[in-house]
Amino acid sequence: MKLTHVVLSVAAFAAVATAATLALTQKDKAPSVSYTLLDGSQHRSDDLRGKVVLVNFWATSCTTCMKEMPELVATHRKYQAKGFETLSVAMAYDPPAYVVNYAQSRQLPFQVTMDQKGEIARSYGNVQITPTTFVLNKQGEIVKRYVGAPDFEQLHQLLEKLLAESA
């Protein structure tokens, strides 16, 4: 009877270890979404394949979002010439006038869209907490998810590594 328990315990441990290893090595494909920028132009996330992409969910009412925004701008400017793109997604509950005013007054240099129906947030795993940021590699796979403001030094190290990889 004890031998059966040992065998079952070893089998269970092996299954958990295998699942954990797969979870650490598998990358989820980023969802394919369509979105409209503040200028009215229509885009698809698939058009960003071949670039390293940062997708940032935020709101004008989120103090952490407002605090991190200058760092996001600096990050975008630092890496955009190297094949990096930023997609800033304003949450559905954010008043459109506030988003437009913020983006224009701060002259945000990256793509800004309003997720008016919450479809983009749902497609990224039902994002509800802001800020939430995803980093995608050139193949369109999610390689990192940050809930709250990222450590920008670590983020920059990750971006440099991803930008150096071939598509």
Side-chain angles (χ1 to χ4, degrees), residues 13-68:
F13 176 77
V16 169
T18 301
T21 301
L22 287 174
L24 291 173
T25 57
Q26 283 184 331
K27 295 177 183 149
D28 291 328
K29 277 281 192 201
S32 179
V33 296
S34 298
Y35 55 94
T36 304
L37 298 182
L38 297 183
D39 66 7
S41 61
Q42 300 285 320
H43 296 268
R44 295 192 45 76
S45 58
D46 296 338
D47 298 337
L48 299 173
R49 293 279 196 284
K51 293 185 176 195
V52 173
V53 181
L54 184 143
V55 180
N56 176 252
F57 290 87
W58 66 289
T60 57
S61 59
C62 165
T63 55
T64 304
C65 300
M66 297 299 94
K67 185 177 177 187
E68 80 171 357

Side-chain angles (χ1 to χ4, degrees), residues 59-134:
T60 57
S61 59
C62 165
T63 55
T64 304
C65 300
M66 297 299 94
K67 185 177 177 187
E68 80 171 357
M69 197 60 77
E71 289 275 6
L72 291 175
V73 169
T75 299
H76 179 79
R77 288 190 171 130
K78 181 175 183 175
Y79 296 108
Q80 73 180 38
K82 298 177 182 177
F84 175 72
E85 187 60 62
T86 303
L87 174 59
S88 177
V89 182
M91 297 296 283
Y93 56 81
D94 211 356
Y98 290 12
V99 175
V100 170
N101 180 55
Y102 185 85
Q104 289 176 346
S105 66
R106 303 313 190 283
Q107 298 180 337
L108 297 182
F110 40 72
Q111 296 184 14
V112 179
T113 187
M114 289 182 279
D115 191 15
Q116 293 179 321
K117 295 180 182 176
E119 293 169 352
I120 301 171
R122 276 191 297 282
S123 70
Y124 271 86
N126 202 26
V127 172
Q128 295 182 6
I129 298 171
T130 57
T132 295
T133 303
F134 295 87

